[in-house]
Amino acid sequence: MTIRRTLATCGFALLTMLSVPLAAAEGYRTGACGDFTVGVIPDTQNYVDYRHQKSAGFPFDAAEQYYRQMQWIGENARSAGGDIVFATHVGDIWQHYSVWMDPDHAARGFKWMSNGGSEVAMSPKVQTRAFEIPVAVQGFELIAGKLPFSVVPGNHDMDALWTDPAHPPKPETGAAGVRHVGGLRGFQSAFSDTSPFFAGQPWYVASHDGGADSAQVFTAGKCRFLHIALQYHAPDASLAWASGVVARFAGLPTIVSTHDYLGRDGKRHMKSNPRNSILDPRDNDPEMMWDEFISRHDQIFMVLSGHVGGQGFSIDTNRAGSRVYQVMADYQGRGQTAKEAGAEGKQIGDGWMRLMQFRLDGAQPSIRVRTYSTHYGKFASELPTYADWYKARDRQAALSDADYLKRDEFTIELTDFHRRFGAPGKP
């Protein structure tokens, strides 16, 4: 890996990549934060998938579930009288790829071969640019101007999915071969740093790689927070840029969103995962991201991710001895609404998303994590059939119903938060 060289030699040049002038960050708290919510939108790829619409013969337009999620966030934003002050999409916004290999990897000498194994991997799709990306944009238009938000590219939001000919599929053993992704032109066409969503917004404070990495500062009451969005398997340059952002906003409690980070078992994914291997030496798998960036900055207290169907949670200690709370949720595999419509076995999502309710003004700060379906209009704990519907689908059939529900409805005690960032009454 080259990250140590990159971080050590970037110096002032790293800071020039920021999108606004440098200024030292003030303390995060000048008074009460008040209770507030951060909305976390997990993988929406199955809502946006062109195959899951009436025009393709599906029983209903799955995109309507996605639109309803975004509309609900806008309706419950602080600006509309609700308590949601920030929203983050953790990637895999749409489903399909648009080219076999992106020009950057081709120019660097990478080779590709076709690879079956799944409909998504069989070939690029013209519907990605013609339908799926426009639908994704329309969803974000429902929250634009109502609250600060972030969106990161997941592996499905890259332009290309390609297979390394040196590690081909082996049908006789069922091995899918080693795949890799690359290219951001599609993502940048929708969510670049110059898009109408972000250009000129005071809360959109920095960007890198055309907006594939970005930073936002959001407020709740008299408190400020930093959010950093990192692209899938963030390359060395992305981590160097992010370190510069942390330095610029030193002292602000910081949340990081990235697509692939945590598994259902609470462990970070390693490059040994054959379906997500690191072929490009510039890229970093989740464990590398922890080692080279997250664990090195004490103000990062939380990491949010998706990618893996189900839920995951863990607490690790960074190099300063402080806690980092790592939370994963991905509901794209759920299909009760499809089953009810006569399309049993199809994966949609059923409108489920995460709501993280922060309470930072008391002696014991905490986050109440809840899971809500904008389709059913209920929290997970309000549906008696919740575990029956989803436990096996989320590959957690061995859990009791009560233990399964606890993975979607729980409280995080931020035991060292006041020590790190300042207690109430101490700006």
Side-chain angles (χ1 to χ4, degrees):
M1 289 301 298
T2 60
I3 186 68
R4 292 177 179 83
R5 170 189 53 78
T6 303
L7 290 176
T9 60
C10 279
F12 180 77
L14 177 148
L15 298 180
T16 64
M17 293 187 286
L18 302 178
S19 62
V20 294
L22 297 177
E26 300 174 357
Y28 101 95
R29 174 193 285 274
T30 59
C33 302
D35 292 354
F36 65 92
T37 293
V38 171
V40 184
I41 309 160
D43 311 41
T44 54
Q45 63 202 74
N46 281 325
Y47 302 130
V48 176
D49 191 329
Y50 75 90
R51 300 168 300 167
H52 295 159
Q53 317 302 326
K54 288 182 179 179
S55 59
F58 201 70
F60 57 88
D61 287 325
E64 293 299 326
Q65 290 191 21
Y66 164 62
Y67 291 146
R68 181 58 189 140
Q69 278 189 322
M70 305 303 278
Q71 182 182 21
W72 190 90
I73 291 172
E75 291 170 348
N76 289 275
R78 179 64 54 86
S79 64
D83 71 343
I84 302 177
V85 299
F86 184 75
T88 175
H89 193 305
V90 295
D92 277 3
I93 314 155
W94 51 82
Q95 181 75 288
H96 290 94
Y97 303 90
S98 56
V99 297
W100 274 122
M101 177 178 279
D102 60 289
D104 177 65
H105 280 97
R108 291 170 54 203
F110 286 85
K111 305 297 181 183
W112 68 271
M113 64 176 291
S114 60
N115 187 340
S118 73
E119 186 274 343
V120 173
M122 284 181 180
S123 66
K125 301 294 189 294
V126 297
Q127 294 91 341
T128 306
R129 301 290 184 97
F131 179 83
E132 294 183 359
I133 293 178
V135 167
V137 169
Q138 290 169 20
F140 277 89
E141 288 173 347
L142 297 173
I143 65 172
K146 298 180 180 179
L147 77 170
F149 64 89
S150 164
V151 55
V152 302
N155 52 304
H156 281 257
D157 307 315
M158 298 291 187
D159 298 333
L161 171 67
W162 43 275
T163 299
D164 181 4
H167 304 279
K170 296 180 179 179
E172 66 276 11
T173 64
V178 176
R179 301 171 182 168
H180 202 67
V181 294
L184 290 163
R185 293 183 181 180
F187 180 85
Q188 291 162 346
S189 74
F191 302 112
S192 77
D193 48 4
T194 60
S195 77
F197 291 130
F198 307 124
Q201 295 291 346
W203 46 264
Y204 190 87
V205 296
S207 63
H208 171 257
D209 210 357
D213 308 301
S214 62
Q216 301 78 30
V217 170
F218 66 92
T219 61
K222 295 185 178 181
C223 300
R224 296 194 307 156
F225 303 84
L226 174 64
H227 176 270
I228 295 177
L230 291 174
Q231 61 185 276
Y232 176 75
H233 289 181
D236 293 349
S238 297
L239 300 188
W241 165 84
S243 290
V245 175
V246 170
R248 178 183 162 210
F249 292 95
L252 292 191
T254 301
I255 300 170
V256 172
S257 290
T258 193
H259 179 61
D260 175 24
Y261 183 78
L262 207 66
R264 283 184 295 272
D265 59 2
K267 297 179 181 179
R268 289 180 292 275
H269 282 177
M270 302 289 286
K271 66 180 179 180
S272 57
N273 183 339
R275 299 183 70 86
N276 296 284
S277 293
I278 300 294
L279 290 176
D280 190 335
R282 297 179 182 178
D283 291 350
N284 295 279
D285 71 17
E287 190 66 21
M288 296 171 183
M289 293 171 66
W290 168 264
D291 288 340
E292 304 293 352
F293 172 62
I294 295 166
S295 67
R296 298 184 179 215
H297 298 285
D298 192 37
Q299 70 191 63
I300 298 174
F301 73 97
M302 176 164 284
V303 183
L304 305 173
S305 64
H307 187 62
V308 180
Q311 320 86 341
F313 175 70
S314 66
I315 304 172
D316 280 322
T317 302
N318 65 19
R319 296 189 180 198
S322 301
R323 291 187 162 198
V324 181
Y325 305 89
Q326 301 157 117
V327 186
M328 182 278 287
D330 175 9
Y331 305 114
Q332 63 168 304
R334 296 181 171 184
Q336 182 64 24
T337 53
K339 180 179 180 180
E340 293 166 357
E344 186 169 1
K346 296 295 184 180
Q347 300 178 354
I348 301 298
D350 297 349
W352 293 99
M353 55 185 281
R354 276 280 172 88
L355 299 173
M356 308 189 75
Q357 301 170 327
F358 285 69
R359 297 171 178 173
L360 303 180
D361 292 333
Q364 178 56 67
S366 65
I367 303 172
R368 186 185 185 190
V369 179
R370 306 194 74 187
T371 301
Y372 182 76
S373 169
T374 53
H375 175 82
Y376 291 109
K378 295 182 181 295
F379 288 97
S381 56
E382 296 173 334
L383 270 177
T385 55
Y386 186 74
D388 182 54
W389 283 357
Y390 299 126
K391 188 168 63 172
R393 173 68 70 178
D394 287 346
R395 300 184 183 181
Q396 295 164 52
L399 294 176
S400 68
D401 289 0
D403 285 342
Y404 174 70
L405 182 61
K406 288 177 183 178
R407 296 175 70 87
D408 273 324
E409 305 269 344
F410 60 98
T411 297
I412 302 172
E413 302 291 347
L414 303 177
T415 55
D416 60 0
F417 194 86
H418 288 338
R419 172 185 63 78
R420 294 162 74 179
F421 301 110
K426 297 180 180 180

